[in-house]
Amino acid sequence: MTGLQRLAVIRRLNQRVDAVTRPTTPAEVVQQAIVAAEEWIVRLKANHPQSGAPNPAQPTTPTPTPTPTPTHEQQHAVDAKRSGDHLVLQAGAGTGKTTTLRMLAASDLRRAVYLAYNRSIVDDAARGFPSHVACHTGHSLALREVGHQYADRLSTPREPGWKVGLRIGIAPHLRIRMGDRVVTNKALSYTVFRTVKRFCYSADTEIEAHHVPRLRGLETDTLHAVLVEVVLPYARRAWEDLQNPHTGVVKFEHDHYLKIWALKEPQIRADYVLLDEAQDTNPVLEKVFTAQRSHAQLVLVGDSAQAIYGWRGARDVMSTFDGRQLTLSQSFRFGPALATEANRWLSIVRSPLRLQGTPSIETTIGPLPHPAAVLCRTNAGTVIEILKLLAENKRVALNGGGRTLDELARAAADLKAGRRTTHPELVLFQSWGELQEYANDDPAGRDLLPLVEIVDEYGVEVILRAVRSLDREEVADVTVSTAHKAKGRQWPTVRIAKDFEPSPAEESDTNGAPILRPLNVDEARLAYVAVTRARHHLDLGGLAWINSHPNGTPTPDIPTAAIPSPHHPSPWDRLGPIPKQ
């Protein structure tokens, strides 16, 4: 931006912040209210038991919506469901996954449980399922079986992690030098509780070294081993404290009772279990789900090409599950032009699936001056887009709210003021200069460079004002989102932000031309998610470089006959390695 544009941004922010604010209900508050309501229901049931054991397959949904006439792929899935085989349904973007699940449920009136990790997904699904299907998150099942015993501990107030760390024995003035970094008592406390959380997401039965996160500045194996030696005793002490349902010093959270429930090897009382969004399943839920195959028919549904949460421990269960492979390839979201673009990225991630667009839906790919949504690769990218749009006098919403950006900006403010921050990404840095050096000079810190550059160019206060000026989506002119948070969403028109552009090539060939890096499978999956959010118009924007990349041309379609039977190698294995925990 030019100096005049920056001034325009600041003036616009001042106007927006001074304007009358509108009451909003953040998604986090709604989620907390739902969980709290479930807790109280469980406690009431515990105090006023009814006859008979609770059955998770009892009706929990309103009257289901009518299902349309199935396509040939959907009918094939219904027929396969009736065979009793375990099924893996690879459903491409916009192919009517939820509708197909309802068809499967309508064709089989036995007791069923629908499982998904996210509460909002479950609530959306529940509105259309018949009454014999109980819709749950893993947490809600665990709450009914185990979590209600910890209701008193769940209601205790939050407090800073370092204060809890004191109560499990971490000395208040502890400082341990590891390489060029100093680990304080606060940094150690936060690392201990992150270790416990990572253990809770895993399928493991004990806290081990691989649960300890690699901290910024301590990425090498040698330094991480030193950190592990310090962290593990405290993490195990914290987990032991969490086992007591009545008293303890560590704040008890919902992930804790989920893990305790999973360790009991529970049996879900159902004749068949549907697992949605199976391509991004936490190992703790995966283990519970797969353990049901001896007594229940298992159906996994998702899109392996949209497995984008491996970085936080999620696994693509679908690509290795021993079951009958089925596909949904007819997209009802967009037309043939966008299906062709989607297939380019499916080819890059080596997915056997190829989408077909709906001919009656007109979809354009090209420049777009006023998109309904702008999708970014990073949080730093969302800041840049928000500032640009505010300078254009647009009303801007941020998908998921501005909490993440606010926390990053405040962490930057602490470091610039010479104070350590409690932000988990930046907890080991003592000053802003130290973070600048790490982002500029250390390859492990290059992903932080956009954040550093934005703070240096605009200042923390400008970013905080931008966050405070955000509108609700219902009244905004444009929604900005990361591609990760856009998953499951769609907009009429979408532009891909510039932060999807690859960094400049550092090497050249003998003719002086830059040597393009190989396409990264994880980045290609994220690009596939991003481009398939549009219904009518897609501006490739920051992904336009793919048009000139030598590997950007889609490979021919893979015929349906290439999809194997359950006991033969699966072409879905070619989606790349399963993300490590």
Side-chain angles (χ1 to χ4, degrees):
M1 283 188 183
T2 65
L4 288 175
Q5 287 174 320
R6 282 195 291 274
L7 287 174
V9 169
I10 294 172
R11 281 198 299 270
R12 177 64 177 152
L13 289 173
N14 285 329
Q15 293 169 2
R16 298 300 303 281
V17 172
D18 293 339
V20 177
T21 58
R22 301 171 182 81
T24 60
T25 305
E28 294 88 350
V29 175
V30 176
Q31 176 70 12
Q32 291 169 5
I34 291 171
V35 173
E38 283 191 332
E39 292 170 11
W40 279 108
I41 290 171
V42 170
R43 294 179 72 175
L44 286 171
K45 287 183 176 179
N47 293 329
H48 304 282
Q50 299 175 355
S51 60
N55 183 356
Q58 287 297 316
T60 60
T61 64
T63 303
T65 55
T67 54
T69 302
T71 66
H72 73 281
E73 288 179 319
Q74 290 170 332
Q75 185 60 54
H76 184 49
V78 170
D79 294 340
K81 172 72 176 62
R82 289 174 177 149
S83 73
D85 292 339
H86 299 303
L87 304 179
V88 178
L89 183 57
Q90 293 278 359
T95 56
K97 169 176 62 100
T98 302
T99 299
T100 305
L101 283 173
R102 290 169 182 161
M103 291 177 179
L104 298 183
S107 71
D108 187 344
L109 301 182
R110 296 178 299 161
R111 291 184 310 168
V113 167
Y114 166 93
L115 272 180
Y117 195 80
N118 184 282
R119 165 56 61 183
S120 62
I121 295 174
V122 170
D123 290 342
D124 288 341
R127 283 188 276 271
F129 274 107
S131 60
H132 65 279
V133 180
C135 298
H136 291 285
T137 62
H139 286 86
S140 65
L141 282 179
L143 182 65
R144 285 161 170 75
E145 298 292 331
V146 172
H148 65 90
Q149 301 171 22
Y150 295 82
D152 290 336
R153 290 196 65 175
L154 279 166
S155 62
T156 58
R158 293 184 178 275
E159 58 182 325
W162 65 268
K163 289 187 177 181
V164 182
L166 296 177
R167 293 200 288 274
I168 61 171
I170 298 177
H173 302 295
L174 178 142
R175 292 174 65 86
I176 304 174
R177 177 163 289 280
M178 298 183 186
D180 295 331
R181 301 282 182 250
V182 174
V183 178
T184 65
N185 68 305
K186 291 185 178 181
L188 179 58
S189 297
Y190 298 131
T191 305
V192 165
F193 298 124
R194 284 180 66 193
T195 299
V196 173
K197 181 177 285 290
R198 285 164 60 92
F199 164 66
C200 289
Y201 288 161
S202 77
D204 302 318
T205 58
E206 301 287 343
I207 297 179
E208 303 293 350
H210 63 272
H211 298 125
V212 180
R214 290 183 182 266
L215 300 184
R216 298 278 188 179
L218 300 179
E219 292 93 349
T220 67
D221 290 343
T222 301
L223 290 175
H224 185 253
V226 176
L227 180 67
V228 165
E229 188 175 351
V230 176
V231 167
L232 278 185
Y234 293 112
R236 288 167 177 163
R237 189 178 303 171
W239 180 243
E240 183 180 357
D241 174 273
L242 289 165
Q243 307 305 298
N244 190 323
H246 305 297
T247 184
V249 299
V250 180
K251 169 63 179 172
F252 195 90
E253 298 179 353
H254 300 284
D255 288 333
H256 298 146
Y257 66 70
L258 175 65
K259 182 64 174 180
I260 293 170
W261 173 68
L263 289 172
K264 294 179 181 294
E265 300 181 351
Q267 183 178 97
I268 298 174
R269 295 186 294 278
D271 297 303
Y272 63 95
V273 184
L274 309 170
L275 178 63
D276 202 355
E277 297 293 338
Q279 80 284 342
D280 279 314
T281 302
N282 277 344
V284 62
L285 186 57
E286 174 192 357
K287 186 174 183 179
V288 171
F289 174 77
T290 55
Q292 311 305 313
R293 70 181 299 149
S294 62
H295 75 276
Q297 183 184 18
L298 303 185
V299 180
L300 295 80
V301 185
D303 183 357
S304 289
Q306 295 189 55
I308 59 174
Y309 284 102
W311 54 274
R312 70 179 188 190
R315 280 174 35 89
D316 174 18
V317 187
M318 305 177 71
S319 60
T320 57
F321 185 81
D322 183 13
R324 184 173 174 183
Q325 297 272 352
L326 304 169
T327 59
L328 294 178
S329 62
Q330 175 63 59
S331 180
F332 304 101
R333 179 177 298 164
F334 41 71
L338 209 149
T340 299
E341 180 61 35
N343 288 338
R344 183 214 307 260
W345 297 100
L346 287 170
S347 171
I348 291 169
V349 302
R350 305 185 70 192
S351 169
L353 183 66
R354 295 295 181 271
L355 294 177
Q356 302 175 52
T358 299
S360 60
I361 300 178
E362 184 177 350
T363 304
T364 303
I365 297 180
L368 183 63
H370 304 295
V374 179
L375 304 187
C376 307
R377 177 179 167 272
T378 63
N379 285 316
T382 64
V383 175
I384 293 173
E385 293 297 332
I386 289 169
L387 293 175
K388 286 180 180 177
L389 291 164
L390 289 173
E392 297 170 5
N393 209 33
K394 300 284 189 183
R395 303 185 72 171
V396 184
L398 180 62
N399 182 24
R403 179 178 176 181
T404 298
L405 296 184
D406 184 84
E407 290 174 347
L408 281 169
R410 293 184 186 280
D414 286 339
L415 291 174
K416 289 177 78 70
R419 300 186 298 268
R420 280 184 176 268
T421 176
T422 59
H423 194 285
E425 281 289 290
L426 310 176
V427 70
L428 288 187
F429 297 98
Q430 300 184 67
S431 67
W432 184 250
E434 194 173 84
L435 177 59
Q436 287 173 313
E437 180 181 349
Y438 175 77
N440 281 285
D441 301 335
D442 193 323
R446 295 307 294 271
D447 61 313
L448 290 176
L449 188 57
L451 169 68
V452 170
E453 291 176 339
I454 290 170
V455 171
D456 285 340
E457 181 172 359
Y458 296 103
V460 171
E461 186 55 36
V462 169
I463 298 173
L464 290 174
R465 283 178 175 271
V467 172
R468 291 196 293 268
S469 71
L470 293 170
D471 272 302
R472 292 174 291 119
E473 283 197 54
E474 306 91 89
V475 298
D477 300 315
V478 57
T479 297
V480 176
S481 177
T482 62
H484 282 93
K485 288 187 177 178
K487 193 170 179 299
R489 300 287 306 274
Q490 59 181 358
W491 291 271
T493 57
V494 170
R495 174 167 59 80
I496 307 300
K498 286 182 67 64
D499 68 339
F500 270 94
E501 293 178 352
S503 55
E506 297 177 355
E507 300 180 19
S508 302
D509 60 21
T510 54
N511 297 320
I515 298 176
L516 297 175
R517 296 183 179 88
L519 294 172
N520 180 281
V521 172
D522 290 332
E523 295 290 341
R525 288 185 182 127
L526 193 61
Y528 167 65
V529 170
V531 301
T532 54
R533 299 309 97 191
R535 284 184 53 81
H536 299 295
H537 196 137
L538 171 68
D539 183 346
L540 274 174
L543 285 172
W545 55 268
I546 193 63
N547 290 325
S548 58
H549 196 285
N551 300 122
T553 303
T555 59
D557 292 359
I558 297 177
T560 304
I563 305 300
S565 64
H567 304 293
H568 289 79
S570 169
W572 300 100
D573 294 341
R574 297 181 304 180
L575 284 163
I578 295 174
K580 295 180 180 179
Q581 295 181 26

